[in-house]
């Protein structure tokens, strides 16, 4: 398998530290708000990395952190007039909910920064003791000049940063590139006690501790969005290098941006849509398709048209599966030679730095085969089986039974439409009790009603 390693800026052959085992870490969210659909690209892609390694027989330990203490969380807490922990708790719960809705599997471990404070303090202490870090008035900085390899991951040279950083130069730092490991707390801010006084850790140290706790001092793959290469990942790696002489991870994978009108979707530019809102409008599998139909390193432009097209493509997959009994699709043994060849092709696409765009083209080939009336019934069934199997590797078809059972008999549909018309009538008469009752009763049967400007629609919940 070949992976593009940001560290070497080339595709490299992937060799795990331990045979058939993958130790994977991807940076998770800072929980001060609902995450946007751009963040979803990162979470979703590393979910696919994990799924693919499992499919080729690896035992995967996948760690994703939750940053639950940060300046932005403190600011948001002030805005919402709440404790920082309440804010972090609320958005962490929303994060988990939205990820589940997107079909992202739970990582093996999902630690939170506030749970590992003693380890964070111990790590910083080691860096201070070995002269890789220094304290100034309760703040602790990493001494970038103490590490000749600093800048290796991102390809930035310390002196280049010096000129760039001079404007915002912090006079207490020895070098402008030095970064904060521990930050003294201001009055009324949350704090933890440390040898340098009350304060809180820097983000870069949190990720080092949370990854190494579960994956050891050096692991296989570290992932995140391309914006994290510098300074976040450079600074994570610097701490690991200073401590052990080894890189934190051997392969660094970064997904490209989700753009909107050619610009990175981001909270600060306020050009974002939350994943939560998009999931209200579109099916989770359409969103998955939208991302995976492009290579993970390429930028993607967010447009509603593309998501609608993706939804149609996923529908097409389901139409191919629909012709067969679900039980017969789950059979493991597939014999059709053409389907087996397509599975090989699928693997070579994925082995080529996760070319999911080409892998998806193979799902289309299987869809065509499954529908091809000139093929034998056996081969068509095998094509549908292979489509289900490989689709699952990309995270599709996790609950095919619910989507396939949407193809309910016409009579049920007609009855639901009838109930909806009664509800529209009740609403016109301002009989809210009746309209709510119809909505709740249908909900109890798994039918969700959505009221929009042009009327009400219904959907069957997964
Ligand atoms: P954050 O909460 O900002 O640290 O972001 C969480 C993850 O989303 C990180 O891996 C980021 O690199 C990634 N990310 C942020 N914005 C985008 C974007 N517009 N497109 C793709 N990935 C993004
Ligand atoms: Zn991180």
């Amino acid at each position: 398998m070949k992976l593009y390693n940001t560290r070497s800026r080339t595709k490299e052959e992937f060799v795990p530290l331990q045979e058939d085992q993958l130790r994977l870490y991807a940076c998770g969210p800072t929980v001060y708000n609902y995450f946007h659909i751009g963040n979803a690209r990162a979470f979703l892609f590393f979910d696919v990395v994990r799924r693919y390694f499992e499919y080729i027989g690896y035992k995967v330990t996948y760690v994703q952190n939750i940053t639950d203490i940060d300046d932005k969380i403190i600011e948001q807490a002030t805005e919402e007039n709440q404790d920082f922990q309440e804010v972090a708790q609320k958005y962490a719960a929303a994060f988990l909910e939205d990820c589940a809705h997107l079909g992202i599997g739970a990582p093996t471990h999902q630690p939170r920064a506030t749970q590992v404070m003693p380890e964070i303090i111990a790590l910083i202490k080691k860096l201070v003791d070995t002269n890789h870090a220094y304290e100034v008035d309760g703040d602790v900085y990493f001494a970038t000049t103490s590490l000749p390899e600093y800048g290796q991951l991102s390809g930035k040279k310390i002196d280049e940063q010096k000129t760039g950083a001079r404007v915002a130069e912090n006079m207490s730092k020895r070098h402008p590139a030095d970064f904060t490991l521990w930050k003294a707390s201001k009055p009324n801010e949350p704090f933890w006690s440390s040898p340098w006084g009350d304060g809180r850790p820097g983000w870069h140290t949190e990720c080092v501790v949370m990854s190494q706790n579960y994956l050891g001092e050096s692991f296989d793959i570290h992932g995140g969005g391309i914006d994290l290469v510098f300074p976040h990942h450079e600074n994570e790696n610097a701490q690991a290098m200073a401590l052990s002489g080894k890189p934190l991870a051997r392969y660094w994978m970064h997904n490209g941006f989700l753009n909107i009108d050619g610009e990175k979707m981001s909270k600060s530019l306020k050009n974002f849509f939350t994943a939560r809102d998009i999931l209200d409008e579109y099916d989770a599998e359409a969103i998955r398709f939208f991302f995976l139909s492009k290579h993970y390193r390429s930028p993607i432009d967010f447009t509603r048209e593309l998501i609608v097209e993706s939804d149609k493509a996923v529908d097409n997959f389901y139409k191919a599966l629909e012709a067969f009994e679900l039980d017969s699709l789950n059979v493991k043994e597939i014999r059709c030679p053409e389907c087996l060849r397509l599975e090989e092709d699928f693997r070579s696409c994925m082995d080529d730095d996760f070319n999911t765009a080409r892998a998806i083209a193979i799902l289309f080939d299987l869809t065509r085969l499954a529908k091809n009336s000139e093929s034998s019934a056996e081969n068509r069934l095998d094509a549908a089986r292979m489509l289900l199997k490989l689709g699952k590797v990309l995270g599709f078809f996790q609950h095919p039974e619910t989507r396939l059972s949407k193809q309910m008999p016409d009579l049920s549909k007609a009855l639901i439409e009838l109930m909806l018309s009664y509800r529209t009538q009740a609403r016109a008469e301002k009989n809210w009790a009746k309209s709510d009752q119809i909505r709740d009763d249908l909900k109890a049967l798994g039918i969700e009603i959505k009221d929009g400007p042009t009327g009400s629609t219904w959907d069957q919940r997964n």
Side-chain angles (χ1 to χ4, degrees):
M1 181 194 297
K2 286 211 155 40
L3 294 181
Y4 183 88
N5 191 350
T6 305
R7 192 151 148 254
S8 63
R9 281 159 279 277
T10 53
K11 277 193 203 174
E12 290 177 26
E13 188 62 35
F14 175 73
V15 184
L17 275 165
Q18 244 181 302
E19 205 181 337
D20 296 334
Q21 295 209 21
L22 176 73
R23 294 186 176 85
L24 167 69
Y25 183 86
C27 294
T30 302
V31 282
Y32 67 102
N33 219 320
Y34 298 109
F35 68 87
H36 62 66
I37 193 74
N39 303 133
R41 183 177 194 190
F43 306 148
L44 208 136
F45 174 65
F46 290 101
D47 174 63
V48 170
V49 171
R50 179 247 193 107
R51 284 175 196 277
Y52 183 66
F53 272 99
E54 281 173 348
Y55 156 75
I56 58 173
Y58 276 71
K59 180 180 177 293
V60 179
T61 309
Y62 175 31
V63 182
Q64 183 193 46
N65 67 298
I66 293 182
T67 299
D68 61 349
I69 175 68
D70 181 85
D71 290 353
K72 290 185 214 136
I73 299 176
I74 299 171
E75 271 167 38
Q76 186 69 18
T78 313
E79 201 163 294
E80 294 191 18
N81 203 12
Q82 276 188 327
D83 186 69
F84 90 94
Q85 278 159 321
E86 283 171 314
V87 167
Q89 192 58 35
K90 171 172 139 190
Y91 293 113
F95 164 71
L96 298 179
E97 219 175 273
D98 294 345
C99 281
H101 198 164
L102 278 165
I104 294 171
T108 325
H109 303 283
Q110 203 158 35
R112 299 183 187 203
T114 57
Q115 296 167 338
V116 291
M117 273 314 153
E119 290 98 321
I120 289 177
I121 293 167
L123 186 144
I124 299 173
K125 197 166 173 310
K126 261 194 222 159
L127 290 172
V128 173
D129 291 349
T130 51
N131 294 324
H132 286 294
Y134 55 93
E135 188 228 327
V136 184
D137 299 334
D139 292 329
V140 181
Y141 300 103
F142 184 90
T144 47
T145 42
S146 76
L147 189 77
E149 296 88 350
Y150 188 77
Q152 217 173 50
L153 172 65
S154 59
K156 282 198 199 294
K157 294 207 179 69
I158 265 191
D159 286 335
E160 279 172 25
Q161 290 154 29
K162 193 166 183 169
T163 25
R166 196 161 274 163
V167 192
E169 202 166 333
N170 173 340
M171 297 316 287
S172 51
K173 290 202 265 182
R174 289 184 194 161
H175 189 282
D178 292 358
F179 56 91
T180 309
L181 302 175
W182 187 262
K183 186 172 172 167
S185 55
K186 300 199 187 86
N188 300 322
E189 281 184 349
F191 64 83
W192 285 260
S193 301
S194 80
W196 317 283
D198 295 341
R200 60 180 185 275
W203 175 37
H204 314 313
T205 303
E206 295 171 7
C207 277
V208 179
V209 169
M210 287 187 271
S211 56
Q212 290 187 331
N213 264 0
Y214 295 99
L215 301 172
E217 59 184 17
S218 189
F219 48 91
D220 297 304
I221 299 180
H222 191 314
I226 189 89
D227 53 335
L228 299 189
V229 178
F230 189 87
H232 185 48
H233 289 169
E234 185 69 61
N235 292 352
E236 280 184 33
N237 197 42
Q239 292 169 77
M241 290 290 295
L243 288 168
S244 71
K246 291 185 202 155
L248 184 60
R250 289 158 27 112
Y251 302 86
W252 294 78
M253 293 177 75
H254 294 99
N255 64 274
F257 288 141
L258 175 71
N259 290 333
I260 187 155
D261 300 325
E263 255 188 319
K264 177 197 173 194
M265 182 180 283
S266 77
K267 293 251 168 68
S268 51
L269 291 173
K270 297 200 167 59
N271 60 353
F272 66 91
F273 297 105
T274 64
R276 185 159 276 227
D277 285 346
I278 295 299
L279 279 164
D280 260 350
E281 268 184 80
Y282 303 99
D283 200 273
E285 292 192 281
I287 297 166
R288 184 173 283 267
F289 186 98
F290 163 73
F291 283 124
L292 299 183
S293 56
K294 270 262 186 173
H295 191 269
Y296 75 92
R297 285 190 285 120
S298 313
I300 309 187
D301 251 311
F302 176 87
T303 69
R304 287 189 148 68
E305 290 74 28
L306 279 175
I307 301 202
V308 170
E309 267 175 39
S310 304
D311 195 42
K312 285 189 193 139
V314 174
D315 240 15
N316 221 344
F317 294 155
Y318 276 101
K319 288 213 174 83
L321 298 179
E322 199 179 286
F324 307 93
E325 285 289 327
L326 194 56
D327 283 347
S328 68
L329 290 177
N330 281 321
V331 171
K332 293 234 155 50
E333 204 185 342
I334 298 171
R335 291 206 191 92
C336 162
E338 182 151 19
C339 298
L340 295 172
R341 189 182 56 75
L342 287 170
E343 182 174 27
E344 286 297 307
D345 290 351
F346 176 89
R347 280 187 68 150
S348 31
C349 297
M350 294 295 277
D351 283 347
D352 180 16
D353 192 30
F354 286 88
N355 196 331
T356 55
R358 279 178 46 219
I360 278 189
I362 288 164
L363 299 190
F364 283 129
D365 291 343
L366 287 164
T367 305
R368 274 190 293 274
L369 270 180
K371 287 179 167 175
N372 185 354
S373 53
E374 283 166 24
S375 280
S376 69
E378 247 171 51
N379 284 356
R380 283 165 56 197
L381 177 59
D382 267 359
R385 284 174 177 158
M386 192 59 91
L387 171 63
L388 188 70
K389 179 179 171 188
L390 301 183
K392 279 187 173 174
V393 176
L394 299 181
F396 295 108
F397 315 136
Q398 291 184 46
H399 305 286
E401 62 290 346
T402 49
R403 178 103 176 220
L404 291 173
S405 65
K406 254 190 206 170
Q407 327 295 335
M408 56 178 78
D410 287 348
L411 181 61
S412 307
K413 284 188 188 166
L415 287 172
I416 294 170
E417 293 294 341
L418 189 63
M419 293 304 287
L420 230 63
S421 73
Y422 288 156
R423 185 164 171 275
T424 309
Q425 206 176 332
R427 279 160 66 91
E429 290 162 3
K430 300 206 182 331
N431 187 346
W432 308 120
K434 183 102 212 150
S435 117
D436 287 352
Q437 188 190 352
I438 295 175
R439 186 197 57 209
D440 295 345
D441 287 352
L442 283 173
K443 193 170 183 178
L445 296 172
I447 305 297
E448 192 111 41
I449 295 185
K450 276 190 200 153
D451 297 317
T454 53
S456 303
T457 53
W458 63 273
D459 203 358
Q460 195 174 21
R461 280 305 277 182
N462 291 341

